[in-house]
Amino acid sequence: MDITLDKALPNDLQMERLIIGHILMQGSIDMQVDPEIFYLESHRRILACMEALQKQGRTCDLPTVFSALRDKDELEGAGGRRISQIGRAHV
């Protein structure tokens, strides 16, 4: 059975930005977050990249996440250079 929703699911884009910004400032994921709960695909891609970096023992700071997304050719799908604005949202 296929269900189509006429309205968008509940979301809080500012909260998504704050979570990503917090992780970028801390340099690691220190909370339980499932990328699939994020509304924006770009936010899901960023968080999935951060999880992969952390599993590799690498830091989740802005330069590392930016480079990892670029290297995987996912930078534009993750918002491109706007990622740096997300990092500043936490400050």
Side-chain angles (χ1 to χ4, degrees):
M1 180 161 134
D2 185 23
I3 299 173
T4 304
L5 301 175
D6 292 331
K7 296 182 180 181
L9 294 173
N11 63 78
D12 187 341
L13 300 180
Q14 184 62 27
M15 184 58 70
E16 291 180 18
R17 289 183 195 102
L18 287 172
I19 291 169
I20 291 170
H22 170 77
I23 295 168
L24 289 171
M25 295 296 290
Q26 295 296 314
S28 66
I29 301 172
D30 59 356
M31 63 184 94
Q32 194 81 13
V33 184
D34 180 358
E36 294 306 312
I37 67 168
F38 281 6
Y39 182 74
L40 290 182
E41 174 65 26
S42 59
H43 291 170
R44 289 193 295 268
R45 288 180 188 217
I46 294 167
L47 188 57
C49 178
M50 292 173 164
E51 288 179 333
L53 288 170
Q54 185 151 310
K55 285 180 184 174
Q56 297 168 7
R58 297 173 64 193
T59 186
C60 295
D61 61 4
L62 182 59
T64 306
V65 172
F66 190 90
S67 294
L69 288 165
R70 185 188 60 221
D71 293 348
K72 294 187 331 183
D73 207 24
E74 292 187 8
L75 185 58
E76 289 309 311
R81 299 195 181 278
R82 290 180 305 196
I83 295 171
S84 63
Q85 294 171 343
I86 294 173
R88 289 194 299 267
H90 185 265
V91 179

